[in-house]
Amino acid sequence: DSSKLIRRGKKQLQKLMSDSQISQNEVKITIEILLLAFDRLWSTLFATFSLCMQGIQDDTTANLAINGQEKMVFLLSHFSMTKELETVICFMSAFCTSAENDQRRCSGLEALFDIINENSNFFGDNAWIPILELFSNLMRNRSPIEITKPVDSEVQVTNADLISNLPIEGIEKVYYNTIYLDRFSFNSFLMCICRVSTAEIFMNPPSLYSFKKIVDIAILNMNRVRFVWSQAWSILNSHFCRIGCLSHKQISMYVIQQLAKVVSVVAGINTKRLPQLSSSNLLEIDSTSQDQLQDIDSNPKGSSQDENPSLHNDNDGIQNTVSSENISISDKWQHFQCEIFSPFCTIFLNQTLY
């Protein structure tokens, strides 16, 4: 904790100043003393760098100030100064859309990418929010589906200034690199992106870009330890339920489709081998099943298998094919599926379809 380190730094500095026998060459600068000095200087440095980035026309000076912000974020994140870190990252995210020219906006984005690559495991609980909100505003036109009807018409969206030559690959790489986050940072990232996704859906017009990224992140991080994935799924579970239970039909149906995609990947279902059912096929299957039920009711118990051995063999073949090819559930996920996915699907189905 940074506050404890600062208190230790004060005690060490007082001890050094009170001891007159210690020479200048014998003084050792510890981490606590360095943190104490940085705690006194960070606000002055932040104000200076911010003024140079916004108020000076020289691009070289602005780039030096951006580089100074990067170094300051490194110290703030590693010293666990979360409030100060959130302030700097929020300013950097706003600078990427409010800078004077397109060159400075791109420079701000590149600096933000470098900050994420170096310090993403030290961001804390809320530092991801301004970054993900920035990506959401820049990528609103890349929503997987176009939604015209708003969920809440009172919430209006303010479009961010578009950046020419937007580094889309860099933005996509941020989501992909979540596989390298530790479990604490990964859970913090999920909570932040779920908050951004909820706010994004309630905008006018709604967007599902962040929600689609949540699905992609869930699939990318399937190889994590089951304990970590269980913690992550508890966060995703509540988000799926909240968005899927909205009265907006188009959004809720899309959530159900994406939930089925995640479940199929976790359970090991090969969706390409499953039959694509249309409305006419469903009617045929329904009528066939009703005829079979009538035949079963008319025959005594145990006689259907003897009288229709070919049907019984066909059913066995289908079951063996499905179990061996389509639904090959690994031992790693079988217990997880029974405990978490089955009750979730039941609750989700009851809340959505009624």
Side-chain angles (χ1 to χ4, degrees), residues 275-289:
Q276 299 295 329
L277 297 179
S278 61
S279 58
S280 59
N281 291 334
L282 289 174
L283 292 175
E284 292 177 0
I285 293 174
D286 185 59
S287 60
T288 305
S289 61

mmCIF file with all atom_site columns, all heavy atoms in Angstrom, residues 275-289:
data_model
loop_
_atom_site.group_PDB
_atom_site.id
_atom_site.type_symbol
_atom_site.label_atom_id
_atom_site.label_alt_id
_atom_site.label_comp_id
_atom_site.label_asym_id
_atom_site.label_entity_id
_atom_site.label_seq_id
_atom_site.pdbx_PDB_ins_code
_atom_site.Cartn_x
_atom_site.Cartn_y
_atom_site.Cartn_z
_atom_site.occupancy
_atom_site.B_iso_or_equiv
_atom_site.pdbx_formal_charge
_atom_site.auth_seq_id
_atom_site.auth_comp_id
_atom_site.auth_asym_id
_atom_site.auth_atom_id
_atom_site.pdbx_PDB_model_num
ATOM 1   N N   . PRO A 1 275 ? -26.796 -29.727 -37.214 1.00 0.00 ? 275 PRO A N   1
ATOM 2   C CA  . PRO A 1 275 ? -27.670 -29.366 -38.332 1.00 0.00 ? 275 PRO A CA  1
ATOM 3   C C   . PRO A 1 275 ? -28.228 -27.971 -38.170 1.00 0.00 ? 275 PRO A C   1
ATOM 4   O O   . PRO A 1 275 ? -28.553 -27.533 -37.080 1.00 0.00 ? 275 PRO A O   1
ATOM 5   C CB  . PRO A 1 275 ? -28.782 -30.423 -38.258 1.00 0.00 ? 275 PRO A CB  1
ATOM 6   C CG  . PRO A 1 275 ? -28.794 -30.867 -36.833 1.00 0.00 ? 275 PRO A CG  1
ATOM 7   C CD  . PRO A 1 275 ? -27.374 -30.787 -36.358 1.00 0.00 ? 275 PRO A CD  1
ATOM 8   N N   . GLN A 1 276 ? -28.332 -27.263 -39.298 1.00 0.00 ? 276 GLN A N   1
ATOM 9   C CA  . GLN A 1 276 ? -28.922 -25.945 -39.322 1.00 0.00 ? 276 GLN A CA  1
ATOM 10  C C   . GLN A 1 276 ? -30.435 -26.091 -39.521 1.00 0.00 ? 276 GLN A C   1
ATOM 11  O O   . GLN A 1 276 ? -30.898 -26.450 -40.599 1.00 0.00 ? 276 GLN A O   1
ATOM 12  C CB  . GLN A 1 276 ? -28.309 -25.105 -40.455 1.00 0.00 ? 276 GLN A CB  1
ATOM 13  C CG  . GLN A 1 276 ? -26.805 -24.907 -40.310 1.00 0.00 ? 276 GLN A CG  1
ATOM 14  C CD  . GLN A 1 276 ? -26.479 -24.093 -39.085 1.00 0.00 ? 276 GLN A CD  1
ATOM 15  O OE1 . GLN A 1 276 ? -27.247 -23.222 -38.657 1.00 0.00 ? 276 GLN A OE1 1
ATOM 16  N NE2 . GLN A 1 276 ? -25.313 -24.364 -38.503 1.00 0.00 ? 276 GLN A NE2 1
ATOM 17  N N   . LEU A 1 277 ? -31.204 -25.837 -38.494 1.00 0.00 ? 277 LEU A N   1
ATOM 18  C CA  . LEU A 1 277 ? -32.638 -26.062 -38.524 1.00 0.00 ? 277 LEU A CA  1
ATOM 19  C C   . LEU A 1 277 ? -33.363 -24.805 -38.960 1.00 0.00 ? 277 LEU A C   1
ATOM 20  O O   . LEU A 1 277 ? -33.105 -23.723 -38.455 1.00 0.00 ? 277 LEU A O   1
ATOM 21  C CB  . LEU A 1 277 ? -33.137 -26.489 -37.143 1.00 0.00 ? 277 LEU A CB  1
ATOM 22  C CG  . LEU A 1 277 ? -32.573 -27.813 -36.608 1.00 0.00 ? 277 LEU A CG  1
ATOM 23  C CD1 . LEU A 1 277 ? -33.133 -28.086 -35.230 1.00 0.00 ? 277 LEU A CD1 1
ATOM 24  C CD2 . LEU A 1 277 ? -32.879 -28.965 -37.553 1.00 0.00 ? 277 LEU A CD2 1
ATOM 25  N N   . SER A 1 278 ? -34.278 -24.960 -39.907 1.00 0.00 ? 278 SER A N   1
ATOM 26  C CA  . SER A 1 278 ? -35.143 -23.870 -40.320 1.00 0.00 ? 278 SER A CA  1
ATOM 27  C C   . SER A 1 278 ? -36.517 -24.068 -39.703 1.00 0.00 ? 278 SER A C   1
ATOM 28  O O   . SER A 1 278 ? -36.784 -25.061 -39.022 1.00 0.00 ? 278 SER A O   1
ATOM 29  C CB  . SER A 1 278 ? -35.230 -23.806 -41.850 1.00 0.00 ? 278 SER A CB  1
ATOM 30  O OG  . SER A 1 278 ? -35.775 -25.008 -42.366 1.00 0.00 ? 278 SER A OG  1
ATOM 31  N N   . SER A 1 279 ? -37.405 -23.110 -39.956 1.00 0.00 ? 279 SER A N   1
ATOM 32  C CA  . SER A 1 279 ? -38.747 -23.224 -39.393 1.00 0.00 ? 279 SER A CA  1
ATOM 33  C C   . SER A 1 279 ? -39.493 -24.423 -39.962 1.00 0.00 ? 279 SER A C   1
ATOM 34  O O   . SER A 1 279 ? -40.220 -25.120 -39.252 1.00 0.00 ? 279 SER A O   1
ATOM 35  C CB  . SER A 1 279 ? -39.528 -21.934 -39.673 1.00 0.00 ? 279 SER A CB  1
ATOM 36  O OG  . SER A 1 279 ? -39.585 -21.684 -41.067 1.00 0.00 ? 279 SER A OG  1
ATOM 37  N N   . SER A 1 280 ? -39.304 -24.725 -41.270 1.00 0.00 ? 280 SER A N   1
ATOM 38  C CA  . SER A 1 280 ? -39.981 -25.887 -41.873 1.00 0.00 ? 280 SER A CA  1
ATOM 39  C C   . SER A 1 280 ? -39.448 -27.187 -41.294 1.00 0.00 ? 280 SER A C   1
ATOM 40  O O   . SER A 1 280 ? -40.205 -28.131 -41.030 1.00 0.00 ? 280 SER A O   1
ATOM 41  C CB  . SER A 1 280 ? -39.786 -25.868 -43.392 1.00 0.00 ? 280 SER A CB  1
ATOM 42  O OG  . SER A 1 280 ? -38.399 -25.893 -43.719 1.00 0.00 ? 280 SER A OG  1
ATOM 43  N N   . ASN A 1 281 ? -38.111 -27.242 -41.062 1.00 0.00 ? 281 ASN A N   1
ATOM 44  C CA  . ASN A 1 281 ? -37.545 -28.447 -40.463 1.00 0.00 ? 281 ASN A CA  1
ATOM 45  C C   . ASN A 1 281 ? -38.056 -28.659 -39.045 1.00 0.00 ? 281 ASN A C   1
ATOM 46  O O   . ASN A 1 281 ? -38.299 -29.795 -38.625 1.00 0.00 ? 281 ASN A O   1
ATOM 47  C CB  . ASN A 1 281 ? -36.020 -28.354 -40.447 1.00 0.00 ? 281 ASN A CB  1
ATOM 48  C CG  . ASN A 1 281 ? -35.425 -28.423 -41.843 1.00 0.00 ? 281 ASN A CG  1
ATOM 49  O OD1 . ASN A 1 281 ? -36.032 -28.986 -42.747 1.00 0.00 ? 281 ASN A OD1 1
ATOM 50  N ND2 . ASN A 1 281 ? -34.243 -27.831 -42.021 1.00 0.00 ? 281 ASN A ND2 1
ATOM 51  N N   . LEU A 1 282 ? -38.212 -27.574 -38.316 1.00 0.00 ? 282 LEU A N   1
ATOM 52  C CA  . LEU A 1 282 ? -38.727 -27.691 -36.954 1.00 0.00 ? 282 LEU A CA  1
ATOM 53  C C   . LEU A 1 282 ? -40.156 -28.218 -36.952 1.00 0.00 ? 282 LEU A C   1
ATOM 54  O O   . LEU A 1 282 ? -40.535 -29.028 -36.104 1.00 0.00 ? 282 LEU A O   1
ATOM 55  C CB  . LEU A 1 282 ? -38.666 -26.333 -36.261 1.00 0.00 ? 282 LEU A CB  1
ATOM 56  C CG  . LEU A 1 282 ? -37.260 -25.833 -35.897 1.00 0.00 ? 282 LEU A CG  1
ATOM 57  C CD1 . LEU A 1 282 ? -37.347 -24.420 -35.353 1.00 0.00 ? 282 LEU A CD1 1
ATOM 58  C CD2 . LEU A 1 282 ? -36.596 -26.747 -34.894 1.00 0.00 ? 282 LEU A CD2 1
ATOM 59  N N   . LEU A 1 283 ? -40.985 -27.803 -37.917 1.00 0.00 ? 283 LEU A N   1
ATOM 60  C CA  . LEU A 1 283 ? -42.349 -28.309 -38.010 1.00 0.00 ? 283 LEU A CA  1
ATOM 61  C C   . LEU A 1 283 ? -42.365 -29.790 -38.343 1.00 0.00 ? 283 LEU A C   1
ATOM 62  O O   . LEU A 1 283 ? -43.161 -30.565 -37.803 1.00 0.00 ? 283 LEU A O   1
ATOM 63  C CB  . LEU A 1 283 ? -43.128 -27.510 -39.064 1.00 0.00 ? 283 LEU A CB  1
ATOM 64  C CG  . LEU A 1 283 ? -43.413 -26.041 -38.717 1.00 0.00 ? 283 LEU A CG  1
ATOM 65  C CD1 . LEU A 1 283 ? -44.085 -25.343 -39.900 1.00 0.00 ? 283 LEU A CD1 1
ATOM 66  C CD2 . LEU A 1 283 ? -44.296 -25.934 -37.486 1.00 0.00 ? 283 LEU A CD2 1
ATOM 67  N N   . GLU A 1 284 ? -41.456 -30.212 -39.260 1.00 0.00 ? 284 GLU A N   1
ATOM 68  C CA  . GLU A 1 284 ? -41.393 -31.623 -39.608 1.00 0.00 ? 284 GLU A CA  1
ATOM 69  C C   . GLU A 1 284 ? -40.956 -32.470 -38.414 1.00 0.00 ? 284 GLU A C   1
ATOM 70  O O   . GLU A 1 284 ? -41.508 -33.531 -38.149 1.00 0.00 ? 284 GLU A O   1
ATOM 71  C CB  . GLU A 1 284 ? -40.420 -31.815 -40.769 1.00 0.00 ? 284 GLU A CB  1
ATOM 72  C CG  . GLU A 1 284 ? -40.930 -31.200 -42.082 1.00 0.00 ? 284 GLU A CG  1
ATOM 73  C CD  . GLU A 1 284 ? -39.901 -31.355 -43.190 1.00 0.00 ? 284 GLU A CD  1
ATOM 74  O OE1 . GLU A 1 284 ? -38.828 -31.931 -42.913 1.00 0.00 ? 284 GLU A OE1 1
ATOM 75  O OE2 . GLU A 1 284 ? -40.171 -30.901 -44.315 1.00 0.00 ? 284 GLU A OE2 1
ATOM 76  N N   . ILE A 1 285 ? -39.953 -31.968 -37.689 1.00 0.00 ? 285 ILE A N   1
ATOM 77  C CA  . ILE A 1 285 ? -39.485 -32.710 -36.513 1.00 0.00 ? 285 ILE A CA  1
ATOM 78  C C   . ILE A 1 285 ? -40.573 -32.790 -35.459 1.00 0.00 ? 285 ILE A C   1
ATOM 79  O O   . ILE A 1 285 ? -40.776 -33.825 -34.818 1.00 0.00 ? 285 ILE A O   1
ATOM 80  C CB  . ILE A 1 285 ? -38.231 -32.029 -35.952 1.00 0.00 ? 285 ILE A CB  1
ATOM 81  C CG1 . ILE A 1 285 ? -37.081 -32.181 -36.951 1.00 0.00 ? 285 ILE A CG1 1
ATOM 82  C CG2 . ILE A 1 285 ? -37.828 -32.612 -34.610 1.00 0.00 ? 285 ILE A CG2 1
ATOM 83  C CD1 . ILE A 1 285 ? -35.842 -31.418 -36.554 1.00 0.00 ? 285 ILE A CD1 1
ATOM 84  N N   . ASP A 1 286 ? -41.345 -31.695 -35.296 1.00 0.00 ? 286 ASP A N   1
ATOM 85  C CA  . ASP A 1 286 ? -42.407 -31.683 -34.300 1.00 0.00 ? 286 ASP A CA  1
ATOM 86  C C   . ASP A 1 286 ? -43.500 -32.677 -34.649 1.00 0.00 ? 286 ASP A C   1
ATOM 87  O O   . ASP A 1 286 ? -43.987 -33.414 -33.795 1.00 0.00 ? 286 ASP A O   1
ATOM 88  C CB  . ASP A 1 286 ? -42.976 -30.265 -34.197 1.00 0.00 ? 286 ASP A CB  1
ATOM 89  C CG  . ASP A 1 286 ? -44.014 -30.158 -33.092 1.00 0.00 ? 286 ASP A CG  1
ATOM 90  O OD1 . ASP A 1 286 ? -43.644 -30.441 -31.942 1.00 0.00 ? 286 ASP A OD1 1
ATOM 91  O OD2 . ASP A 1 286 ? -45.157 -29.793 -33.393 1.00 0.00 ? 286 ASP A OD2 1
ATOM 92  N N   . SER A 1 287 ? -43.896 -32.726 -35.943 1.00 0.00 ? 287 SER A N   1
ATOM 93  C CA  . SER A 1 287 ? -44.945 -33.658 -36.345 1.00 0.00 ? 287 SER A CA  1
ATOM 94  C C   . SER A 1 287 ? -44.473 -35.104 -36.236 1.00 0.00 ? 287 SER A C   1
ATOM 95  O O   . SER A 1 287 ? -45.219 -35.994 -35.823 1.00 0.00 ? 287 SER A O   1
ATOM 96  C CB  . SER A 1 287 ? -45.386 -33.357 -37.784 1.00 0.00 ? 287 SER A CB  1
ATOM 97  O OG  . SER A 1 287 ? -44.287 -33.496 -38.667 1.00 0.00 ? 287 SER A OG  1
ATOM 98  N N   . THR A 1 288 ? -43.189 -35.349 -36.577 1.00 0.00 ? 288 THR A N   1
ATOM 99  C CA  . THR A 1 288 ? -42.646 -36.703 -36.473 1.00 0.00 ? 288 THR A CA  1
ATOM 100 C C   . THR A 1 288 ? -42.582 -37.157 -35.024 1.00 0.00 ? 288 THR A C   1
ATOM 101 O O   . THR A 1 288 ? -42.909 -38.303 -34.700 1.00 0.00 ? 288 THR A O   1
ATOM 102 C CB  . THR A 1 288 ? -41.240 -36.751 -37.095 1.00 0.00 ? 288 THR A CB  1
ATOM 103 O OG1 . THR A 1 288 ? -41.315 -36.274 -38.434 1.00 0.00 ? 288 THR A OG1 1
ATOM 104 C CG2 . THR A 1 288 ? -40.686 -38.158 -37.086 1.00 0.00 ? 288 THR A CG2 1
ATOM 105 N N   . SER A 1 289 ? -42.188 -36.266 -34.151 1.00 0.00 ? 289 SER A N   1
ATOM 106 C CA  . SER A 1 289 ? -42.101 -36.631 -32.737 1.00 0.00 ? 289 SER A CA  1
ATOM 107 C C   . SER A 1 289 ? -43.474 -36.914 -32.150 1.00 0.00 ? 289 SER A C   1
ATOM 108 O O   . SER A 1 289 ? -43.631 -37.809 -31.328 1.00 0.00 ? 289 SER A O   1
ATOM 109 C CB  . SER A 1 289 ? -41.427 -35.511 -31.958 1.00 0.00 ? 289 SER A CB  1
ATOM 110 O OG  . SER A 1 289 ? -42.188 -34.321 -32.068 1.00 0.00 ? 289 SER A OG  1
#
